Amino acid sequence: MRTFALSVVACFALAAVASAANLTSGPQQNEGVGAFEVKKVAGNDHDGVKAGQELCYRCMLGMRPVVAIFSRNPNEKLSRLMKEVDAVVDQNGDKKMAAFVNLLGDDDSALEAAAKKIVDNSGAENIAVVVPKDQPNGPASYKINPEAETTVLIYVKAKVVANHALPAGALDDETISKIVDDTAKILN
């Protein structure tokens, strides 16, 4: 019976890996990232945008190197990702690197409360947290997959260099390291 249980667990783990490998979400490598409207709700106190302000954050960042995170689950792993990306942004201020997190869902009030909590938990000082006007999946032109719990777009000059589309539970330490490693692609 124990062998059967371990086999079932192994099958689910393999299925999750296969699912993550096959999940497509957001603009893909070499595709452009377009404009979309958001409301800034927390974070990055020195970007010139006040909490509550509505704008195209993507437009404001222009051609800069950017990490844009779309998340349906502002949990401890997202907090860890934010902390790691924040450190990279801080180290690359001379290159004007930027990052922002888009919280996705149906309840804007709950997303705003979660935004403040995730900023506090992560300690991130250089990352704004926004809520896109298009919900629950973000801007339609971005085609954020409803099955993706987290989609990370790493882009420069408004063109995607790396994309990480992750199903629920796939944002782990190894994946966070891969995302952080991919930021080097926009800093050259």
Side-chain angles (χ1 to χ4, degrees):
M1 185 67 166
R2 181 181 162 122
T3 303
F4 174 74
L6 290 174
S7 296
V8 169
V9 170
C11 286
F12 279 118
L14 289 172
V17 169
S19 175
N22 296 328
L23 187 63
T24 301
S25 181
Q28 300 300 297
Q29 188 173 2
N30 295 319
E31 292 181 349
V33 289
F36 64 100
E37 293 293 313
V38 301
K39 177 179 178 183
K40 180 179 177 184
V41 293
N44 199 341
D45 293 332
H46 52 272
D47 66 358
V49 180
K50 295 183 188 314
Q53 188 173 341
E54 295 181 2
L55 72 156
C56 173
Y57 210 86
R58 206 296 295 153
C59 301
M60 182 189 83
L61 297 175
M63 298 290 129
R64 295 165 60 175
V66 176
V67 176
I69 302 166
F70 293 82
S71 179
R72 298 176 199 288
N73 190 1
N75 60 13
E76 181 270 325
K77 290 297 184 178
L78 178 62
S79 178
R80 171 104 193 286
L81 175 62
M82 287 176 62
K83 181 178 182 174
E84 297 290 327
V85 170
D86 187 65
V88 176
V89 171
D90 190 53
Q91 293 167 1
N92 290 284
D94 60 326
K95 296 178 180 157
K96 300 190 185 304
M97 184 181 182
F100 66 110
V101 173
N102 298 267
L103 294 182
L104 304 177
D106 290 321
D107 185 345
D108 285 359
S109 297
L111 294 174
E112 289 182 30
K116 293 173 179 114
K117 186 175 178 183
I118 197 80
V119 168
D120 289 343
N121 290 345
S122 70
E125 296 180 1
N126 303 294
I127 299 177
V129 181
V130 302
V131 174
K133 286 193 172 199
D134 295 335
Q135 289 289 7
N137 295 311
S141 65
Y142 276 51
K143 299 177 184 165
I144 302 296
N145 190 325
E147 293 180 23
E149 181 177 79
T150 306
T151 301
V152 180
L153 305 177
I154 300 171
Y155 65 87
V156 65
K157 298 180 182 173
K159 187 174 280 192
V160 176
V161 174
N163 174 310
H164 295 266
L166 308 168
L171 184 59
D172 57 19
D173 291 343
E174 182 180 341
T175 304
I176 290 170
S177 292
K178 288 178 185 175
I179 291 167
V180 170
D181 288 348
D182 275 350
T183 63
K185 296 176 181 178
I186 59 172
L187 295 171
N188 297 329

